[in-house]
């Protein structure tokens, strides 16, 4: 180590980068695996989801009336209806207000999520619909040092009593700042609505092994209570209805594995990206393997320089075990140094990594230190024992005679490992280019609309209003906004662009085709504002009275599913309403360019009046020349006349879409960063190995130069083996790179096709870097004074 400081530094840097990459992956893995681990009920709790359409649409929502029958199943201990999202509204106490993440649930919530109660108890926290339980943080913000228990707060226009303050013990799929018990009122209102999937439903089983029996009993309930009712409405037998629509299909997914393995996103804390987690782990392992291979290769190459040292020690009586112990001890020192350097790298980069993952990871936990110890042992075994045994097997006489360097012993091992290094580097370079191409494709894809000047404003409307009053209040807001200088248009939609939180209902065409479409409640001018084009017919217009009675628009996807080339003036059956198609909207992306475009049906708010309950977004088109001043004026009006309790919350529509694939942009950036790390490690190894290899051939180079060999010939001879290794490594990596990246691209509804370009670029770049390193070292070797190496001959 002391006599080879530069190459030791290269070796340690490469190894530390590999270990740092694995540490990052471990931190991410530990965090995702920790979700719900604290919950003693996690293995008994199951979330119920439903297959809605034959093409695979699954919802984590359920109908209200099924619960009264499910709770009679003997194998079920308890059920809990609750929202699958957080309501974000203001909780007020003595003039102090705070926007809070609230989940509305039945009283059994804390039996499913037994948080630690600081005040109150699990049994009484949600005893009636006037109760609210607060998290420790929320109670602190509202009450400060006051006792929260028994205090009255105002939420959603109602006075509620704080009957519990809790602390969440760890990562949880439900981590609300407040829990209310007002959902029973809604459940009673929907007690006969077998087609309204609006509620999350959790089941607690007495014995999780009975899950198949429970599923079958629930399916039987749905057939008897739901399918039979719908069959009667259609005037067909139950068998005929099931033959046409199929039996109900439900899914019961355990809470224990919900975070990473749920087939549907049914929890407000979302679900983890298991594929990305595996990608992170896989890439990190590849980098560590590259680092260890690099270390072993350099260690065995460097051993040649120490061959005489080993020979002398053997002559002086050192045993093979002594030699092995010495080299393992050196590896221990190197590995400890590399781990410490890796931890420094992780600590410095952790804020950026947390921002990348939107997490708050830390490197302090007993589990992490055990894993770090395991890394140390594995690296020591793999990187230490092989070089130690290799060196200890040197033949003493051959070494002392100076003939060792001409031996072929061990060279094939180093060459094989060098090919592995080239293969890993090829995989990363090619993969990084393919990821870049896909993300670039999404960034530049035509969305079918233009939202650069359109802002989406979150409209916190009063609850429980009549839908006609909701729409009337919106019209007043629209008229006032249109008076502001710089406002070019105002409209509204019962959906959120670039978001999955949209309403969906089934409509029937021609008595036989059922289509599960996105409900696109809109105001006039909405499509014009977004510059959405029409494929056929016309838009909804104020001058036609029928456009607020029974006229609708559909998109091109719906038209194709209807198998109708000209759907204009055709009648569809939507929730028992006969509606007439007056136009076909050209397809545009609703949730982002990575997702499929769903079938859509557009109608005015007055046509389907209850759709006004989803009027949560107001869209305003602003003049780009004075955007800042216009938004400031909108802000002033909004906070003084519309919502005096909370600041204006808005975003640009085009930014909303960009956020839908922001995760993939992060994956691209991560892949590019890891690609750089891999190239650096590979170049470190190649630089050191080429230096050792050329150093061993210096006498041969000197003799050939004396005999008149040209520099060009010498450079060719010294570099050709590395070109062969580079080509071999590239071809080994090509097939896995194509297969794995093609699987990754299957995540996208709109994707590129893998072409030869990434492989050509990857190979060219790798070959260029290889030649740059090897030829630079070889050229320096050809410039030396030949007398230095021939004077003793």
């Amino acid at each position: 180590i002391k006599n080879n400081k530069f190459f030791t530094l290269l070796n340690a840097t490469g190894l530390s980068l590999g270990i740092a990459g694995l540490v990052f992956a471990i931190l991410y893995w530990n965090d995702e695996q920790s979700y719900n681990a604290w919950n003693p009920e996690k293995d008994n709790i199951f979330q119920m989801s439903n297959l809605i359409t034959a093409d695979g649409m699954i919802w984590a929502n359920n109908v209200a009336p099924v619960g009264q029958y499910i709770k009679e199943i003997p194998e079920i201990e308890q059920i809990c209806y609750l929202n699958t999202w957080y309501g974000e509204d203001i909780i007020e106490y003595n003039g102090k207000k705070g926007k809070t993440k609230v989940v509305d649930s039945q009283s059994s919530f804390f039996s499913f999520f037994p948080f630690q109660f600081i005040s109150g108890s699990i049994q009484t926290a949600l005893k009636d619909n006037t109760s609210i339980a607060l998290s420790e943080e929320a109670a602190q913000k509202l009450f400060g040092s006051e006792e929260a228990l028994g205090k009255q707060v105002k939420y959603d226009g109602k006075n509620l009593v704080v009957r519990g303050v809790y602390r969440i013990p760890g990562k949880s799929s439900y981590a609300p700042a407040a829990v209310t018990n007002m959902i029973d009122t809604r459940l009673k209102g929907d007690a006969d609505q077998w087609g309204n999937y609006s509620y999350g439903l959790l089941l607690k089983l007495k014995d999780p092994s009975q899950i198949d029996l429970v599923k079958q009993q629930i399916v039987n309930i749905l057939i008897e209570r739901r399918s039979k009712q719908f069959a009667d409405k259609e005037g067909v037998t139950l068998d005929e209805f099931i033959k046409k629509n199929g039996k109900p299909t439900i899914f019961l997914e355990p809470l224990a594995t919900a975070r990473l393995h749920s087939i549907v996103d049914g929890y407000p804390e979302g679900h983890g990206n298991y594929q990305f987690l595996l990608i992170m782990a896989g890439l990190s392992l590849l980098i560590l393997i590259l680092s260890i291979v690099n270390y072993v290769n350099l260690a065995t190459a460097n051993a040649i320089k120490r061959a005489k040292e080993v020979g002398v020690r053997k002559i002086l009586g050192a045993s093979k075990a002594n030699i092995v112990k010495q080299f393992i001890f050196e590896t221990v020192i190197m590995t400890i140094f590399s781990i410490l350097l890796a931890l420094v790298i992780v600590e410095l980069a952790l804020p950026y990594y947390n921002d990348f993952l939107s997490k708050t990871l830390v490197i302090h936990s007993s589990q992490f230190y055990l894993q770090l110890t395991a890394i140390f042992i594995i690296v020591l075994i793999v990187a230490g024992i092989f070089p130690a045994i290799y060196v200890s097997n040197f033949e003493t006489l051959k070494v002392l005679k100076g003939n060792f360097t001409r031996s072929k012993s061990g060279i094939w091992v180093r060459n094989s490992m060098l090919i592995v290094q080239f293969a890993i580097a090829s995989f990363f370079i090619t993969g990084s280019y393919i990821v870049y191409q896909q993300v670039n494709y999404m960034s530049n894809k035509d969305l079918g609309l233009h939202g650069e000047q359109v802002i989406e404003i979150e409209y916190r409307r009063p609850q429980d209003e009549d839908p006609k009053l909701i729409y009337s209040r919106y019209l007043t807001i629209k008229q006032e906004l249109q008076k502001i200088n710089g406002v070019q248009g105002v409209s509204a939609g019962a959906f959120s662009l670039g978001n999955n939180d949209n309403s969906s209902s089934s409509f029937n065409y021609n008595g036989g085709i059922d289509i599960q479409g996105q409900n696109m409640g809109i105001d006039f001018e909405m499509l014009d504002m977004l510059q959405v084009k029409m494929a056929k017919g016309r838009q909804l217009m104020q001058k036609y009275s029928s456009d607020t009675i029974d006229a609708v628009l559909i998109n091109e996807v719906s038209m194709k599913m209807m198998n109708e080339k000209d759907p204009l003036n055709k009648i569809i059956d939507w929730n028992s309403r006969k509606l007439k198609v007056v136009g076909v909207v050209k397809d545009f992306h609703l949730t982002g360019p990575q997702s499929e475009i769903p079938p859509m049906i557009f109608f005015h708010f007055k046509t389907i009046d209850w759709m006004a309950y989803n009027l949560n977004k107001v869209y305003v088109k602003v003049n780009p020349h004075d955007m800042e001043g216009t938004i400031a004026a909108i802000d002033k009006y909004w906070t003084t006349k519309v919502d005096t309790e909370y600041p204006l919350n808005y975003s640009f529509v085009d930014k909303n879409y960009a956020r839908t694939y922001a995760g993939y942009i992060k994956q691209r950036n991560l892949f590019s960063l890891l690609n750089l790390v891999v190239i650096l490690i590979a170049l470190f190894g190649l630089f050191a190995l080429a230096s050792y290899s050329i150093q061993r051939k210096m006498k041969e180079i000197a003799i050939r130069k004396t005999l008149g060999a040209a520099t060009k010939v010498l450079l060719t001879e010294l570099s050709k083996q590395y070109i062969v290794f580079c080509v071999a490594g590239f071809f080994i990596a090509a097939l896995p790179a194509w297969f794995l990246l093609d699987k990754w691209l299957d995540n996208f509804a709109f994707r590129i096709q893998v072409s030869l370009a990434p492989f050509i670029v990857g190979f060219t770049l790798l070959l260029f870097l290889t030649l740059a390193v090897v030829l630079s070292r070889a050229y320096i070797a050809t410039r030396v004074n030949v007398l230095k190496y021939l004077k003793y001959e």
Side-chain angles (χ1 to χ4, degrees), residues 512-567:
I513 301 174
D514 288 312
I515 299 170
Q516 190 71 32
Q518 293 288 327
N519 297 327
M520 307 293 286
I522 58 172
D523 188 19
F524 299 119
E525 297 95 33
M526 181 68 188
L527 298 181
D528 276 338
M529 179 187 295
L530 295 171
Q531 300 178 45
V532 176
K533 297 177 180 179
M534 299 297 296
K536 293 178 182 288
R538 61 175 178 81
Q539 293 190 25
L540 299 178
M541 299 181 182
Q542 198 165 1
K543 64 181 180 180
Y544 298 111
S545 60
S546 62
D547 283 9
T548 57
I549 300 172
D550 64 354
V552 296
L553 310 175
I554 59 173
N555 68 341
E556 292 174 303
V557 172
S558 295
M559 181 176 71
K560 291 173 185 174
M561 295 177 74
M562 289 167 62
N563 294 323
E564 186 67 62
K565 291 183 179 180
D566 186 11

Side-chain angles (χ1 to χ4, degrees), residues 493-721:
F495 50 85
S496 180
L497 295 169
N499 197 306
N500 287 318
D501 298 332
N502 299 302
S503 171
S504 178
S505 297
S506 175
F507 66 89
N508 181 274
Y509 175 65
N510 221 13
I513 301 174
D514 288 312
I515 299 170
Q516 190 71 32
Q518 293 288 327
N519 297 327
M520 307 293 286
I522 58 172
D523 188 19
F524 299 119
E525 297 95 33
M526 181 68 188
L527 298 181
D528 276 338
M529 179 187 295
L530 295 171
Q531 300 178 45
V532 176
K533 297 177 180 179
M534 299 297 296
K536 293 178 182 288
R538 61 175 178 81
Q539 293 190 25
L540 299 178
M541 299 181 182
Q542 198 165 1
K543 64 181 180 180
Y544 298 111
S545 60
S546 62
D547 283 9
T548 57
I549 300 172
D550 64 354
V552 296
L553 310 175
I554 59 173
N555 68 341
E556 292 174 303
V557 172
S558 295
M559 181 176 71
K560 291 173 185 174
M561 295 177 74
M562 289 167 62
N563 294 323
E564 186 67 62
K565 291 183 179 180
D566 186 11
L568 298 183
N569 299 315
K570 297 296 190 297
I571 304 299
I572 62 173
D573 188 337
W574 187 91
N575 282 354
S576 302
R577 289 278 304 274
K578 303 297 182 183
L579 303 174
K580 183 171 69 174
V581 177
V582 299
V584 178
V585 177
K586 287 190 76 67
D587 285 338
F588 65 88
H589 288 274
L590 179 62
T591 58
Q594 76 280 8
S595 303
E596 290 185 3
I597 299 174
M600 303 180 197
I601 178 168
F602 301 79
F603 33 69
H604 192 268
F605 285 110
K606 287 186 177 180
T607 304
I608 309 296
D609 61 353
W610 63 260
M611 191 56 64
Y613 288 125
N614 293 332
L615 203 164
N616 300 317
K617 307 290 180 183
V618 175
Y619 294 89
V620 181
K621 188 170 186 178
V622 296
N623 190 324
H625 300 298
D626 187 24
M627 195 171 285
E628 187 175 340
T630 303
I631 292 175
I634 293 171
D635 188 4
K636 182 179 179 181
Y637 164 72
W638 198 269
T639 52
T640 55
K641 301 295 184 181
V642 181
D643 189 347
T644 59
E645 295 183 326
Y646 209 74
L648 178 72
N649 186 4
Y650 73 92
S651 59
F652 283 88
V653 168
D654 58 328
K655 301 298 183 186
N656 287 352
Y657 280 106
R659 277 192 288 272
T660 64
Y661 57 90
Y664 293 107
I665 291 178
K666 289 180 176 180
Q667 287 189 34
R668 177 199 66 189
N669 295 340
L670 175 68
F671 216 128
S672 299
L673 178 61
L674 294 180
N675 187 33
L676 180 62
V677 171
V678 165
I679 290 174
L680 283 175
I681 294 173
L683 290 182
F684 287 165
L686 184 62
F687 177 84
L689 201 60
S691 299
Y692 283 135
S693 177
I694 292 169
Q695 187 66 34
R696 292 204 320 271
K697 295 182 178 181
M698 286 307 300
K699 189 176 290 185
E700 177 188 341
I701 293 171
I703 293 171
R704 295 186 68 173
K705 280 197 69 177
T706 304
L707 296 175
T711 300
K712 182 179 178 181
V713 174
L714 290 173
L715 291 178
T716 303
E717 284 296 318
L718 291 171
S719 60
K720 66 181 181 181
Q721 66 170 331

Side-chain angles (χ1 to χ4, degrees), residues 402-573:
N403 296 325
F404 179 79
T405 55
R406 289 190 287 272
S407 170
K408 300 293 183 182
S409 176
I411 292 178
W412 71 270
V413 177
R414 291 201 304 278
N415 291 346
S416 299
M417 288 191 287
L418 188 58
I419 291 171
V420 169
Q421 286 182 284
F422 279 122
I424 293 174
S426 298
F427 176 85
F428 273 87
I429 295 171
T430 305
S432 182
Y433 192 85
I434 293 172
V435 172
Y436 169 81
Q437 282 185 313
Q438 175 62 27
V439 173
N440 189 58
Y441 170 76
M442 288 193 298
S443 302
N444 295 303
K445 190 178 188 303
D446 183 11
L447 297 172
L449 53 76
H450 298 278
E452 294 85 355
Q453 298 169 234
V454 181
I455 61 173
E456 179 185 86
I457 301 175
E458 184 179 332
Y459 176 34
R460 293 177 59 253
R461 57 176 179 76
Q463 300 293 319
D464 302 327
E465 283 187 332
D466 181 88
K468 292 180 180 177
L469 182 58
I470 293 172
Y471 184 70
S472 177
R473 279 173 51 82
Y474 153 71
L475 286 180
T476 302
I477 294 169
K478 178 179 179 178
Q479 291 167 4
E480 294 301 316
L481 286 173
Q482 286 175 327
K483 295 176 184 177
I484 296 174
N485 287 334
V487 171
Q488 297 180 335
V490 181
S491 193
F495 50 85
S496 180
L497 295 169
N499 197 306
N500 287 318
D501 298 332
N502 299 302
S503 171
S504 178
S505 297
S506 175
F507 66 89
N508 181 274
Y509 175 65
N510 221 13
I513 301 174
D514 288 312
I515 299 170
Q516 190 71 32
Q518 293 288 327
N519 297 327
M520 307 293 286
I522 58 172
D523 188 19
F524 299 119
E525 297 95 33
M526 181 68 188
L527 298 181
D528 276 338
M529 179 187 295
L530 295 171
Q531 300 178 45
V532 176
K533 297 177 180 179
M534 299 297 296
K536 293 178 182 288
R538 61 175 178 81
Q539 293 190 25
L540 299 178
M541 299 181 182
Q542 198 165 1
K543 64 181 180 180
Y544 298 111
S545 60
S546 62
D547 283 9
T548 57
I549 300 172
D550 64 354
V552 296
L553 310 175
I554 59 173
N555 68 341
E556 292 174 303
V557 172
S558 295
M559 181 176 71
K560 291 173 185 174
M561 295 177 74
M562 289 167 62
N563 294 323
E564 186 67 62
K565 291 183 179 180
D566 186 11
L568 298 183
N569 299 315
K570 297 296 190 297
I571 304 299
I572 62 173
D573 188 337

Side-chain angles (χ1 to χ4, degrees), residues 726-740:
C726 178
V727 173
F730 172 79
F731 279 106
I732 289 171
L735 187 60
W738 176 84
F739 177 76
L740 293 173

